[in-house]
Amino acid sequence: MNSIIFSENASVDLTAVLSGIKYSSIFILTDENTKEHCLPIVEEVFPSNSIFYSIDPGEKNKTIATCMKIWAAMTEAQLDRKALFLNIGGGVLGDMGGFCASIYKRGIRFINMPTTLLSQVDASVGGKLGVDFEGLKNHLGVFNEPETVIVASQFLKTLPEKEIRSGYAEIIKHGLIRDKQYFESLDFDHWQDSYWAPLIHHSVEIKKSVVEADPKEAGLRKILNFGHTIGHAFETYFLDGPRHLLHGEAIAVGMICEAWLSHKKLDLSMAELKQIQDAFLKVYGKIEIQESDLAPVLDFCLQDKKNEGKELMFSLLSSIGDCTYNIPVTRQEILEAIHYYQ
Ligand code: NAD
Ligand code: ZN
């Protein structure tokens, strides 16, 4: 597992990291938003021969077409195998930049500076890299670890509130699957800048402990998918329309539905189901789902790549803080779970 630095000053820690690595040149990848808001925080650190490259932001650009532009820029800059690649951005940029670095000349070293709450608590750990392909999320990719991850909560100051809320869903998930006390310590009503740093630290510890026990998702790592089978279906269904949901908003709906399944199929108590539901409704409000949405969402669920064979396998809670994987769920039960949310 790569080293993770929890930084109070990104510029100081990046300087220290770079001084400890021998490299020929450094290629810095940003998107148009992180170029404006995050790059200035660390810009003075880079040597004069550094190469800066910026892409358009957003999931819709997490494609091979964008990778080809990045690889072309790397080639034009004549990066050799001793070059260093630095990602400054959210999960889209980190997944794609890490992938580009891993493929170029059979792999050059890369460093991640995640700048969204979601990428700091989730995408920064675990070595999954890649891009979307033909409408399928993360369809092309590799497992590979960055040299170092520098997690600096100072970047979050410019992150839009909606994006903060999206990342919060993964923090809440970490409590639900592994740590009841953590879940119960969370504030679902209000938060300020200083609220995040300790949560990021604890969430990364939780994700790291799960990933270290099962790096390639043979078993235990599947608990990180709690809320994601139904959540991804909502995310994909609403992707291009006016009701577009961010990842965290979609998995919040997914976690309520899957908490209901946990109550029905495992021992999750009604009291805990209500506790979970109240938490998510406080943070995200109620997302309107119409009767006509049900069939297509169910279809997207059945296509979820994490399903083995024909059986739908879910990770469900037996209580808050305790998650079990490989629980078979029928199509009818999924439908009832979505009805429950509705
Ligand atoms: P993102 O990278 O699209 O960032 C969200 C938005 O915030 C973008 O518009 C970005 O330009 C902007 N932004 C980023 N940092 C900013 C800052 N500090 N100030 C102002 N604006 C800023 O999205 P995300 O939510 O970070 O990540 C989602 C992606 O992460 C998905 O593609 C998902 O598949 C991936 N992901 C990967 C893993 C993994 O294990 N590899 C885990 C979870 C999610
Ligand atoms: Zn997620």
Side-chain angles (χ1 to χ4, degrees), residues 118 122 170 173 228 247 251:
L118 188 115
D122 192 352
E170 301 289 356
K173 181 194 79 180
H228 281 63
H247 179 69
I251 66 154

Side-chain angles (χ1 to χ4, degrees), residues 87-100:
N87 292 307
I88 304 178
V92 165
L93 194 112
D95 281 13
M96 183 160 53
F99 177 68
C100 286

Side-chain angles (χ1 to χ4, degrees), residues 21-169:
I21 301 177
K22 280 205 172 107
Y23 56 90
S24 52
S25 58
I26 180 161
F27 186 95
I28 298 120
L29 183 69
T30 54
D31 70 28
E32 288 300 311
N33 295 322
T34 61
K35 181 182 173 186
E36 181 183 345
H37 298 295
C38 305
L39 187 59
I41 295 174
V42 290
E43 206 159 22
E44 87 243 3
V45 169
F46 304 115
S48 57
N49 67 341
S50 303
I51 302 112
F52 295 87
Y53 191 74
S54 188
I55 58 173
D56 289 334
E59 185 75 29
K60 66 178 186 300
N61 296 304
K62 191 179 169 185
T63 59
I64 279 290
T66 309
C67 291
M68 285 170 68
K69 290 184 193 161
I70 297 169
W71 285 319
M74 294 167 79
T75 305
E76 195 187 324
Q78 300 182 345
L79 293 196
D80 61 21
R81 298 205 60 237
K82 294 210 174 80
L84 192 58
F85 195 105
L86 173 65
N87 292 307
I88 304 178
V92 165
L93 194 112
D95 281 13
M96 183 160 53
F99 177 68
C100 286
S102 302
I103 299 297
Y104 183 80
K105 288 185 182 278
R106 299 198 185 85
I108 62 170
R109 297 161 300 168
F110 66 102
I111 293 174
N112 277 348
M113 288 191 105
T115 61
T116 62
L117 185 58
L118 188 115
S119 60
Q120 294 190 348
V121 299
D122 192 352
S124 62
V125 189
K128 286 185 179 178
L129 307 170
V131 295
D132 305 335
F133 186 67
E134 301 201 338
L136 299 167
K137 236 176 112 61
N138 302 323
H139 192 59
L140 304 177
V142 294
F143 278 100
N144 195 15
E145 295 283 356
E147 291 290 298
T148 303
V149 182
I150 301 173
V151 176
S153 59
Q154 77 192 101
F155 288 124
L156 303 182
K157 290 193 181 116
T158 56
L159 191 66
E161 176 65 24
K162 205 172 152 67
E163 297 288 348
I164 290 275
R165 234 181 278 247
S166 177
Y168 199 18

Side-chain angles (χ1 to χ4, degrees), residues 145-335:
E145 295 283 356
E147 291 290 298
T148 303
V149 182
I150 301 173
V151 176
S153 59
Q154 77 192 101
F155 288 124
L156 303 182
K157 290 193 181 116
T158 56
L159 191 66
E161 176 65 24
K162 205 172 152 67
E163 297 288 348
I164 290 275
R165 234 181 278 247
S166 177
Y168 199 18
E170 301 289 356
I171 291 178
I172 300 170
K173 181 194 79 180
H174 290 143
L176 290 176
I177 60 173
R178 277 301 248 200
D179 189 339
K180 179 172 180 161
Q181 215 185 339
Y182 183 42
F183 174 77
E184 291 190 332
S185 75
L186 297 173
D187 188 338
F188 302 115
D189 294 305
H190 31 69
W191 43 79
Q192 45 201 251
D193 286 355
S194 61
Y195 180 58
W196 301 111
L199 302 189
I200 293 166
H201 198 289
H202 193 66
S203 267
V204 165
E205 290 303 320
I206 291 177
K207 179 155 184 196
K208 225 172 131 185
S209 73
V210 173
V211 170
E212 273 170 355
D214 175 23
K216 294 281 168 75
E217 204 168 309
L220 181 72
R221 188 169 177 166
K222 293 179 188 178
I223 67 171
L224 295 168
N225 297 331
F226 173 65
H228 281 63
T229 306
I230 296 180
H232 268 158
F234 276 102
E235 191 177 7
T236 313
Y237 175 59
F238 288 131
L239 199 61
D240 292 324
R243 292 192 284 161
H244 175 78
L245 294 177
L246 293 179
H247 179 69
E249 297 171 318
I251 66 154
V253 176
M255 284 192 272
I256 293 179
C257 297
E258 296 185 22
W260 181 85
L261 285 171
S262 303
H263 170 64
K264 187 170 160 97
K265 303 199 52 97
L266 301 181
D267 302 323
L268 186 76
S269 68
M270 183 48 94
E272 289 199 333
L273 170 60
K274 291 277 177 222
Q275 206 183 338
I276 295 169
Q277 188 176 329
D278 288 350
F280 286 121
L281 291 179
K282 269 188 189 165
V283 180
Y284 301 94
K286 182 85 194 331
I287 285 144
E288 282 305 315
I289 296 166
Q290 282 137 26
E291 212 50 38
S292 57
D293 297 329
L294 294 182
V297 168
L298 193 61
D299 282 347
F300 279 118
C301 248
L302 299 170
Q303 282 166 20
D304 189 291
K305 68 175 190 304
K306 293 180 185 86
N307 296 317
E308 288 154 12
K310 280 190 185 145
E311 285 200 297
L312 282 163
M313 294 298 187
F314 277 66
S315 299
L316 298 176
L317 307 174
S318 49
S319 63
I320 292 178
D322 195 356
C323 188
T324 310
Y325 54 90
N326 283 353
I327 310 290
V329 173
T330 66
R331 189 190 157 90
Q332 183 57 30
E333 287 167 331
I334 300 175
L335 202 55

